[in-house]
Amino acid sequence: MRLNSLLIGDGIYELSKAYRAGAQAMRDSISFRHNPYRKTDSQEHYDWECGHTNEAEGEHFRFGVDVINAPLNGRFFEEDSAVPRDTEGCVDSDWYRAQIIKEH
């Protein structure tokens, strides 16, 4: 199983199990401080935090795909110019919520 990767700005994130769990935690309104990976210098702790933060920023829908739930096949998700963003580059939160609702 090859992990998918996600480009955000100049950062590349591997969508590990911990990353995806952090993103799902944010979707489920679980607080950032409830990271289950307690060892703060571990890769899992960092991945969970990144997933949580990037979900809060609306970065997980690309080209009509929910990257958190996409099959793990080594896919690289670039930034999608069709995603509506404000003048500061932040994803439109109303648009993002609508994408999540469409997925469920």
Side-chain angles (χ1 to χ4, degrees):
M1 167 178 57
R2 295 183 352 216
L3 294 178
N4 295 337
S5 300
L6 174 67
L7 175 68
I8 300 174
D10 60 356
I12 297 175
Y13 301 89
E14 283 196 342
L15 303 181
S16 67
K17 179 180 177 181
Y19 182 100
R20 290 179 285 120
Q24 189 60 54
M26 178 61 203
R27 287 184 185 180
D28 294 340
S29 301
I30 296 171
S31 172
F32 187 79
R33 41 190 176 96
H34 290 280
N35 185 335
Y37 301 98
R38 305 312 295 164
K39 189 174 177 191
T40 58
D41 62 344
S42 71
Q43 185 65 46
E44 290 86 359
H45 183 90
Y46 174 76
D47 287 353
W48 193 94
E49 285 185 349
C50 290
H52 198 277
T53 299
N54 291 337
E55 177 62 27
E57 294 175 359
E59 293 289 352
H60 292 136
F61 278 90
R62 304 288 171 90
F63 306 98
V65 175
D66 176 1
V67 302
I68 297 307
N69 294 309
L72 298 177
N73 57 10
R75 187 168 175 188
F76 182 76
F77 291 96
E78 295 185 33
E79 290 189 344
D80 182 352
S81 62
V83 171
R85 296 178 181 269
D86 65 19
T87 57
E88 295 176 3
C90 298
V91 174
D92 179 273
S93 59
D94 292 333
W95 176 86
Y96 196 72
R97 275 191 297 276
Q99 302 315 298
I100 291 173
I101 290 167
K102 282 192 325 191
E103 284 293 309
H104 298 293

